Amino acid sequence: MTVLETAPPAGRREWTQVCPYTELLPERGVAVLVDDRQVAVFRTFDGALYALGNHDPFSGAYVLSRGIVGTRNGEPTVASPMHKQVFSLVTGVSVDDPDIAVPTYPVRVTDGNVEVSVA
């Protein structure tokens, strides 16, 4: 199985282990707390991992981890469970309003464990 890392290698970065890779179900998200930030982590069917802020800027709720994973124009996305606004899992930009975005975070797998960096 190939796991795709969604962040390029960076200099010195702080990584936080959040869960075993096998615990993430394809096309589902989980919320994790990394350095006092709520982060939504997603695994897609192709094995890629994505991490973005869990806060939905349209509703004000921390719910993106419970969103519906899909694609728009070949790009992986998540639709908020509140008002269904769609965000790119790659860039965090809202498909519905390009002036709105949520932060994205580097994510990787090390020794079978998912790690996220918010630094």
Side-chain angles (χ1 to χ4, degrees):
M1 167 177 52
T2 301
V3 176
L4 305 174
E5 187 173 321
T6 59
R12 194 151 161 80
R13 189 179 287 281
E14 297 278 330
W15 292 97
T16 301
Q17 182 176 314
V18 296
C19 68
Y21 177 80
T22 56
E23 294 291 317
L24 293 176
L25 299 175
E27 304 298 303
R28 304 279 267 193
V30 297
V32 298
L33 191 60
V34 180
D35 294 341
D36 295 328
R37 294 184 200 179
Q38 284 195 34
V39 177
V41 179
F42 298 91
R43 174 181 163 194
T44 55
F45 276 124
D46 65 2
L49 295 173
Y50 300 91
L52 63 155
N54 196 36
H55 182 256
D56 174 0
F58 291 97
S59 71
Y62 289 85
V63 295
L64 290 182
S65 63
R66 295 179 178 216
I68 300 165
V69 176
T71 59
R72 289 270 178 102
N73 299 320
E75 186 169 338
T77 59
V78 62
S80 171
M82 297 296 289
H83 301 296
K84 308 302 184 246
Q85 280 85 9
V86 177
F87 297 88
S88 165
L89 289 176
V90 176
T91 66
V93 174
S94 168
V95 173
D96 303 303
D97 183 349
D99 292 331
I100 305 290
V102 295
T104 59
Y105 302 106
V107 60
R108 70 181 186 185
V109 176
T110 302
D111 296 328
N113 293 302
V114 177
E115 297 178 335
V116 175
S117 176
V118 297

